[in-house]
């Protein structure tokens, strides 16, 4: 009786384990992903502008506006990143200074 209960319990566990499905998720920084998408869009728009000889003027102007917006977005993201790096450096320096002060 005890063996059959243990066997049944093991079979239930195996059945539950068989139903487990793992999914892979890439840890990606949202800003990095957005920056990558903006750069891809930027390249696409550059190609459109370069091929603009055969494009309608309104389509060309729209592509140029989108390109300018994409460039501005990239600059803003890069500026934001540089500011965060600077803030992190300052914070690290303050922590080091505080540790030295605490040791004295």
């Amino acid at each position: 009786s005890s063996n059959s209960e243990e066997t049944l319990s093991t079979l239930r566990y195996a059945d539950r384990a068989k139903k487990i499905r793992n999914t892979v998720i890439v840890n990606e920084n949202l800003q990095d992903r957005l920056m990558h998408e903006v750069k891809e869009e930027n390249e696409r728009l550059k190609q459109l502008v370069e091929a603009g000889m055969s494009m309608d003027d309104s389509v060309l102007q729209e592509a140029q506006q989108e390109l300018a917006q994409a460039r501005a977005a990239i600059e803003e993201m890069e500026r934001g990143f540089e500011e965060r790096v600077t803030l992190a450096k300052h914070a690290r320096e303050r922590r080091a200074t505080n540790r030295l002060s605490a040791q004295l």
Side-chain angles (χ1 to χ4, degrees):
S1 173
S2 174
N3 286 339
S4 62
E5 288 175 19
E6 209 172 297
T7 301
L8 190 55
S9 173
T10 302
L11 289 173
R12 285 188 191 121
Y13 173 78
D15 185 54
R16 285 193 314 268
K18 190 169 57 172
K19 292 178 183 177
I20 295 173
R21 297 287 178 237
N22 292 327
T23 56
V24 177
I25 298 174
V26 176
N27 290 333
E28 186 177 33
N29 184 337
L30 177 61
Q31 185 171 1
D32 290 342
R33 182 171 53 89
L34 289 173
M35 190 176 255
H36 179 72
E37 290 173 2
V38 168
K39 285 182 179 180
E40 284 180 348
E41 179 70 8
N42 194 6
E43 286 302 314
R44 184 185 72 78
L45 293 172
K46 280 182 186 177
Q47 291 172 357
L48 280 176
V49 169
E50 289 170 1
M53 307 304 173
S54 62
M55 290 165 70
D56 182 358
D57 281 345
S58 64
V59 173
L60 181 59
Q61 285 180 338
E62 184 179 327
Q64 288 173 334
Q65 285 178 334
E66 288 181 26
L67 179 59
Q69 290 172 350
R71 284 182 178 154
I74 288 172
E75 288 174 12
E76 180 65 31
M77 286 182 199
E78 287 174 347
R79 189 175 328 116
F81 177 74
E82 290 170 4
E83 288 174 9
R84 285 196 308 273
V85 168
T86 302
L87 289 174
K89 285 180 182 177
H90 290 306
R92 188 178 328 131
E93 290 169 2
R94 280 193 303 265
R95 283 193 302 269
T97 303
N98 289 342
R99 279 189 223 125
L100 287 175
S101 297
Q103 290 174 355
L104 297 176

